[in-house]
């Protein structure tokens, strides 16, 4: 899943990105991008990550005062676990907060606005994935990618 925060008029200032990321409990990490882990610091795997839209997608953490970006990408990969719903809701809340604080627009991969309808549609697709995984496990098999519903995002 991917959501994008696009700058409206001028690129986001690096220090503003850094401050907004910190407020949303996103921490610098592997691959020179931000990650959201458990708020208590536990957990090896990031729940979701934040990258720069400009290739290679990294942030110059030691030089954010000289940095700017036209947009940000928040992303994660769901596994069909019930906890994915919490991660989805937190990713969306974080993306909305970043867009508000930075003065950006929240969009889907195809650049359509991420509105309440998109939120409901994607959450419905995630529920289908969770149900497909649960059904496969109940039948004694691990689900495959073919069992997952198609995703538009």
């Amino acid at each position: 899943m991917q959501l994008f925060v696009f700058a409206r008029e001028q690129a986001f200032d690096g220090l503003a990105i850094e401050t907004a990321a910190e407020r949303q409990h996103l921490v610098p990490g592997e691959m020179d991008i931000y990650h959201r882990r458990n708020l208590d610091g536990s957990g090896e795997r990031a729940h979701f990550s934040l990258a720069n839209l400009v290739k290679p997608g990294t942030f110059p953490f030691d030089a954010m005062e000289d940095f700017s970006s036209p947009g940000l990408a928040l992303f994660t990969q769901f596994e069909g676990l019930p906890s994915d719903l919490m991660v989805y809701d937190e990713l969306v809340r974080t993306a909305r907060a970043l867009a508000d604080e930075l003065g950006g627009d929240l969009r889907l991969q195809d650049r359509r606005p991420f509105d309440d309808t998109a939120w409901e549609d994607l959450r419905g697709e995630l529920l289908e994935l969770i149900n497909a995984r649960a059904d496969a496990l109940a039948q004694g098999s691990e689900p495959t990618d073919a069992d997952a519903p198609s995703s538009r995002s």
Side-chain angles (χ1 to χ4, degrees):
M1 159 150 196
Q2 298 174 338
L3 290 178
F4 300 91
V5 180
F6 290 101
R8 286 189 192 122
E9 302 194 10
Q10 60 185 21
F12 299 134
D13 175 76
L15 292 177
I17 294 168
E18 183 177 56
T19 299
E22 286 175 4
R23 283 194 182 121
Q24 296 307 313
H25 309 284
L26 293 159
V27 295
E30 307 84 43
M31 302 182 311
D32 292 327
I33 62 175
Y34 290 95
H35 304 279
R36 167 66 75 76
R37 302 192 190 288
N38 291 340
L39 293 181
D40 64 4
S42 66
E44 301 260 335
R45 183 175 172 262
H47 292 292
F48 56 88
S49 301
L50 174 73
N52 178 13
L53 273 187
V54 178
K55 287 184 180 183
T58 60
F59 295 99
F61 294 127
D62 293 333
M64 291 296 278
E65 65 276 358
D66 299 322
F67 175 76
S68 64
S69 177
L72 307 169
L74 290 101
F75 61 94
T76 192
Q77 186 167 353
F78 295 119
E79 298 175 13
L81 302 172
S83 61
D84 288 350
L85 286 172
M86 180 272 311
V87 172
Y88 172 74
D89 289 342
E90 192 59 26
L91 184 147
V92 169
R93 189 198 66 71
T94 299
R96 286 178 171 159
L98 289 170
D100 287 345
E101 184 168 343
L102 295 170
D105 293 320
L106 187 56
R107 305 229 175 231
L108 297 166
Q109 191 168 351
D110 62 5
R111 293 191 176 235
R112 285 182 298 132
F114 183 79
D115 56 16
D116 289 342
T117 300
W119 178 83
E120 289 174 14
D121 289 347
L122 290 174
R123 201 165 201 281
E125 288 179 21
L126 181 54
L127 283 168
E128 288 178 28
L129 175 65
I130 291 167
N131 289 334
R133 184 170 196 270
D135 290 346
L137 290 172
Q139 296 171 6
S141 66
E142 187 65 30
T144 64
D145 289 340
D147 296 326
S150 64
S151 176
R152 294 185 303 254
S153 65

